[in-house]
Amino acid sequence: MVKKWVVICLTVAMIVVLAACNSSNSANESTPGESEIALGAPKESAELKIVYYGDESGRMSEFVKNEIKALVKKELNAELELEYLPWSEYGAGKTDLMLASGEDFASYTDIDQLGKKVAKGYYADLTPYVEQGVPDLKNNVESLSFEAFQLSGKQYAIPVGNKPNAGEFYSVLVRQDLMDEVGMKGISSLEDLEKFYELVIAKHPEMIGFAETGLQYALSYTYSDKNLMWLDSRVVSDASANDDKLWSWYESPEFKAYSEIMRKWYEKGIIPKYAPTNPNQLMADWQAGKAMWKAGNALMPIENFQSMAKAVSTAKLTNYFLNKGDRPLISRGTYSTAYYVSANAKDPERYVMFFNLLQKNQELYDLFTYGVKDTDYKLDENGRVERLNSDPLFDDWMMMNVNFMRFNKDVADDFIESYRHWNDGSILRKDIGFVFDVEPVKTEAAKISAIETELLNPIGSGFISYEEQFPNALKKLKEAGIDKYMAEYQKQYSAWYAGKNKQ
């Protein structure tokens, strides 16, 4: 009798265990269970919203709802939502309304935005979460990039990306295939560039020369003997000088020299006559292969070729520096961008942990940047990448990290080698870590901004004559308070510079 009772009990126990297992398996088929959450992930679930700018592709929407959602659930025990806004809302508009109303989200920022938003209390202090939250990202992104987004020793944004970018926009990106066609071996001066235009326009009268409305960085070596560095649109310094001297860009002889070059280009047709009223057409012409040059950076020969190749499959692009001499390239650090978390976010630490995933290792970098292997991309035997899907995913410019990035098979080995060493010999900007507090001169800044839009930008773009219009612009600039603005900027910068040199 006892043996029979034991058998019955064991049988019932086995049925209960099997039923529990079946119930667990059934639950796992519909929603992620505890077994699918990575070891070390937070026990409490969280909701994360990331704001991006531009247009969300169809594949990106599908990618986030499936692969990325599953990854974030597993690694962070969080639900991820992406919201896309037009680029016109970056740093202003709806973004500011979301921050002001206390919405819970994260997005990317820049040095210019950082001080303004922190002063308004919009960004969360992420200092407590850096040590534990981004251990992998800290190994794969330069420490100087973290310092660039600190204020008073506090971390208000987490940098992402690690790419050589010294001399960004200080080079001229030229159609090398057109140079080959007209028999030019290289371009090293302003005279060379203008000669290039004349030779090409004789063969292709339908083309334009310059595909942008601002080239003050790239031409700076030609009209100045200093290594010019802009702290904002109206404040400049010499990056190679061991001092804290600042001066007003618009009141400088350099602005006059630059404006005169641009005016000459506008009158000669190098800058097309439609540029003042239709600047967007300039970039459209560039991508359609109808322009000869624009401002460049280290990776732009590849990035721009990929968009231009649809129109001109034979196009080749090369960076050239004009009259640079031995002046070192200026670097702002190797970050691509940096993410902030809104001040009222419920779980800022979980956001920081998400940022870490973006640059954690090769596997996750490939996933975020290229998508799903054999669906969105494939690799050859040398690790070169071929895109199988043309829909953009997470923006390439944001993700780029020289430790992980892959190149297409048609990118020459010598370009890759040159790119990896692009920053060699460069110097850091003197203002890394400095953020100007505009509050004491916010009224003056607003007035100056209006004059920039009305007169100074058109003068600097060559659309109106410096000789004829600058006296009036200078008068208005003085009335707006440019002297007070510059004095306040110099005061804050000198105090910061002195403190930095004592460290």
Side-chain angles (χ1 to χ4, degrees):
M1 183 69 178
V2 173
K3 290 181 180 180
K4 184 177 180 181
W5 176 252
V6 171
V7 170
I8 292 172
C9 288
L10 288 173
T11 302
V12 171
M14 290 177 65
I15 292 171
V16 170
V17 170
L18 288 172
C21 289
N22 288 336
S23 174
S24 176
N25 290 338
S26 175
N28 285 340
E29 288 175 4
S30 57
T31 57
E34 290 184 4
S35 62
E36 295 182 33
I37 304 299
L39 186 65
K43 292 183 179 180
E44 296 295 325
S45 181
E47 295 183 359
L48 307 179
K49 180 165 78 171
I50 310 291
V51 171
Y52 286 126
Y53 299 89
D55 297 317
E56 182 179 26
S57 69
R59 173 58 182 139
M60 180 62 170
S61 177
E62 176 187 313
F63 181 54
V64 170
K65 290 176 183 176
N66 295 293
E67 289 86 4
I68 299 302
K69 179 180 180 180
L71 170 71
V72 173
K73 182 63 178 178
K74 177 183 177 182
E75 295 290 330
L76 306 181
N77 192 17
E79 297 293 332
L80 179 68
E81 173 194 353
L82 297 192
E83 179 177 343
Y84 279 79
L85 297 176
W87 270 108
S88 58
E89 306 301 309
Y90 174 76
K94 186 174 180 181
T95 304
D96 263 8
L97 290 176
M98 293 169 67
L99 288 166
S101 63
E103 288 195 37
D104 186 331
F105 72 100
S107 187
Y108 37 82
T109 188
D110 57 53
I111 297 295
D112 290 338
Q113 293 290 328
L114 190 75
K116 301 172 187 175
K117 306 306 183 189
V118 171
K120 293 180 179 180
Y122 286 168
Y123 291 179
D125 176 10
L126 304 178
T127 311
Y129 317 113
V130 173
E131 198 62 37
Q132 298 298 321
V134 290
D136 306 291
L137 194 147
K138 285 186 72 176
N139 287 331
N140 295 317
V141 174
E142 282 190 351
S143 60
L144 282 171
S145 296
F146 280 83
E147 293 176 20
F149 292 93
Q150 293 175 1
L151 287 175
S152 302
K154 295 182 179 181
Q155 193 78 48
Y156 285 100
I158 305 297
V160 168
N162 181 22
K163 61 181 182 180
N165 56 21
E168 195 165 32
F169 307 125
Y170 281 78
S171 65
V172 177
L173 185 68
V174 175
R175 286 280 302 277
Q176 182 69 44
D177 56 308
L178 293 176
M179 282 185 58
D180 295 342
E181 182 182 346
V182 298
M184 288 190 70
K185 301 299 183 183
I187 292 177
S188 60
S189 68
L190 185 64
E191 293 73 24
D192 289 342
L193 191 62
E194 293 174 349
K195 177 184 176 183
F196 169 62
Y197 171 79
E198 291 169 0
L199 292 173
V200 173
I201 206 70
K203 284 180 171 285
H204 303 283
E206 75 284 0
M207 295 194 72
I208 64 171
F210 182 34
E212 288 175 312
T213 56
L215 205 63
Q216 64 265 37
Y217 290 19
L219 297 185
S220 65
Y221 302 127
T222 72
Y223 60 75
S224 177
D225 59 357
K226 303 178 180 67
N227 204 357
L228 292 182
M229 176 189 89
W230 280 258
L231 283 78
D232 70 12
S233 63
R234 56 198 73 132
V235 180
V236 288
S237 181
D238 184 346
S240 294
N242 187 25
D243 60 38
D244 62 349
K245 183 180 178 182
L246 306 177
W247 64 91
S248 167
W249 162 238
Y250 298 121
E251 298 175 85
S252 70
E254 288 91 351
F255 178 69
K256 179 177 186 292
Y258 170 66
S259 299
E260 289 173 346
I261 294 171
M262 299 302 285
R263 182 63 178 171
K264 179 177 69 172
W265 283 10
Y266 185 65
E267 290 176 337
K268 289 182 68 172
I270 294 176
I271 301 173
K273 301 302 181 185
Y274 62 75
T277 56
N278 193 7
N280 292 335
Q281 185 60 40
L282 294 172
M283 186 52 62
D285 284 343
W286 172 258
Q287 292 177 339
K290 297 177 181 178
M292 301 179 202
W293 71 81
K294 65 184 290 293
N297 64 33
L299 202 60
M300 208 172 278
I302 295 175
E303 293 176 322
N304 277 214
F305 168 75
Q306 290 171 348
S307 59
M308 187 183 292
K310 297 175 183 177
V312 185
S313 61
T314 57
K316 292 189 293 184
L317 303 173
T318 304
N319 281 308
Y320 289 98
F321 290 96
L322 310 183
N323 301 97
K324 177 176 152 314
D326 59 358
R327 282 172 280 193
L329 297 181
I330 306 167
S331 172
R332 58 165 172 78
T334 59
Y335 62 87
S336 298
T337 188
Y339 282 86
Y340 67 86
V341 178
S342 61
N344 291 330
K346 295 178 182 177
D347 197 339
E349 183 175 17
R350 204 81 60 103
Y351 280 108
V352 171
M353 293 170 71
F354 172 76
F355 308 151
N356 186 68
L357 291 181
L358 296 174
Q359 310 266 282
K360 183 175 183 178
N361 53 38
Q362 186 72 59
E363 179 184 359
L364 289 185
Y365 180 89
D366 285 349
L367 179 68
F368 282 107
T369 309
Y370 308 117
V372 178
K373 190 177 180 182
D374 298 325
T375 297
D376 299 297
Y377 74 99
K378 63 180 180 180
L379 300 176
D380 67 12
E381 64 276 8
N382 297 315
R384 298 294 190 97
V385 66
E386 179 184 346
R387 302 285 185 132
L388 303 176
N389 174 31
S390 60
D391 272 10
L393 302 177
F394 287 83
D395 288 328
D396 281 1
W397 65 265
M398 176 178 66
M399 296 296 299
M400 286 178 179
N401 189 312
V402 73
N403 298 319
F404 303 124
M405 60 192 299
R406 301 182 185 276
F407 294 87
N408 294 344
K409 60 183 179 181
D410 57 355
V411 178
D413 290 339
D414 59 350
F415 176 87
I416 297 174
E417 185 65 18
S418 172
Y419 175 71
R420 294 189 187 282
H421 294 281
W422 179 272
N423 274 32
D424 292 358
S426 64
I427 58 173
L428 278 174
R429 293 178 59 96
K430 293 195 296 184
D431 63 338
I432 292 291
F434 171 73
V435 178
F436 178 58
D437 179 10
V438 75
E439 193 64 24
V441 287
K442 63 181 181 181
T443 301
E444 289 77 9
K447 292 179 180 178
I448 294 168
S449 181
I451 297 166
E452 285 177 321
T453 302
E454 178 191 358
L455 287 173
L456 294 168
N457 292 341
I459 290 173
S461 297
F463 304 153
I464 58 178
S465 167
Y466 177 95
E467 183 178 350
E468 295 175 7
Q469 296 296 328
F470 186 73
N472 179 45
L474 180 61
K475 179 176 179 292
K476 290 188 175 184
L477 201 57
K478 292 295 187 182
E479 291 171 351
I482 186 65
D483 292 336
K484 181 179 178 182
Y485 181 88
M486 287 301 305
E488 180 63 30
Y489 212 111
Q490 184 72 69
K491 173 186 171 184
Q492 291 186 29
Y493 182 70
S494 294
W496 172 85
Y497 190 85
K500 173 188 174 184
N501 288 338
K502 287 180 181 179
Q503 295 176 359

